[in-house]
Amino acid sequence: GAGVSQSPRYKVAKRGQDVALRCDPISGHVSLFWYQQALGQGPEFLTYFQNEAQLDKSGLPSDRFFAERPEGSVSTLKIQRTQQEDSAVYLCASSSGTSWNEQFFGPGTRLTVL
Amino acid sequence: AQTVTQSQPEMSVQEAETVTLSCTYDTSENNYYLFWYKQPPSRQMILVIRQEAYKQQNATENRFSVNFQKAAKSFSLKISDSQLGDTAMYFCAFMKHDGGDQAGTALIFGKGTTLSVSS
């Protein structure tokens, strides 16, 4: 079956540009997470959705970061006025929300801000 | 707050040998889960093995096994009979038990250990 997909896989932006990163979770998965992985580091939590509701956004580093999941499936992470410190791999993970909640990860979007 | 520490940035091993990756964590929680994830170069992260903190028996998945020492807050991964395909970055991760279905519990990761397997 299809796993979690993310697009684009690579994105280069000039400082100050807005970007939008897309995540297609596994069909039927109610839970969706976004993580940020800086070079040489482990992923860090950004935000969590249960269906269309954003229940936790405590990890978003600034108000330039915004995420949505309007229909409870596809999610978009938007970064406004990008800065060089936003350069990272952005990982999306989904889970069924049952049992102990294994998270399945997408391949990530590598964002480079020049 | 919980933290996860992986003190070995890089490890290398020859095919068929055994290697152990270290992980320590800090938490005041009594119930939680621990995981090892594998991230091959330019490929997505996949779960290798998991351990529930309330279980004393160490988890095993084929060539992968853990040594879970709850009192010491240590959770090492042993890879036996290493294969070239084991080359990847390995992350130790912590998830607290929220008392429910864990639906919204985020993972807390260490910085990772890069493992290289050579022939």
Side-chain angles (χ1 to χ4, degrees), chain B residues 2-8 21-26 36 73-76 91-94 108-113:
Chain B
Q2 292 81 23
T3 59
V4 177
T5 301
Q6 294 179 250
S7 59
Q8 305 154 314
L21 307 184
S22 301
C23 173
T24 58
Y25 58 95
D26 190 23
W36 280 97
K73 295 181 181 174
S74 170
F75 183 62
S76 61
F91 291 97
C92 179
F94 172 99
I108 299 170
F109 289 89
K111 291 187 176 183
T113 296

Side-chain angles (χ1 to χ4, degrees), chain B residues 49-99:
Chain B
I49 197 166
R50 70 179 175 101
Q51 173 83 41
E52 291 92 339
Y54 62 86
K55 290 187 176 179
Q56 292 187 340
Q57 186 173 7
N58 289 324
T60 299
E61 289 287 341
N62 301 313
R63 299 183 294 109
F64 299 88
S65 61
V66 298
N67 183 4
F68 173 48
Q69 302 290 328
K70 190 173 184 180
K73 295 181 181 174
S74 170
F75 183 62
S76 61
L77 174 70
K78 186 172 82 171
I79 306 174
S80 304
D81 186 26
S82 296
Q83 300 175 1
L84 294 177
D86 295 333
T87 293
M89 196 154 188
Y90 287 81
F91 291 97
C92 179
F94 172 99
M95 177 192 286
K96 68 178 183 180
H97 191 292
D98 69 358

Side-chain angles (χ1 to χ4, degrees), chain A residues 7-8 11 19-23 34 75-79 90 109:
Chain A
S7 60
K11 176 69 177 177
V19 298
L21 313 180
R22 177 188 169 107
C23 171
W34 283 99
S75 177
T76 303
L77 176 66
K78 297 179 179 179
I79 309 174
Y90 290 85
T109 294

Side-chain angles (χ1 to χ4, degrees), chain A residues 30-42:
Chain A
V30 300
S31 297
L32 187 146
F33 298 81
W34 283 99
Y35 293 87
Q36 180 190 56
Q37 185 177 14
L39 186 63
Q41 304 292 315

Side-chain angles (χ1 to χ4, degrees), chain A residues 45-49 54-62 65-67:
Chain A
F45 169 75
L46 293 176
T47 187
Y48 160 67
F49 289 86
Q54 188 176 19
L55 299 185
D56 187 349
K57 52 183 181 180
S58 61
L60 296 177
S62 78
F65 287 72
F66 172 77

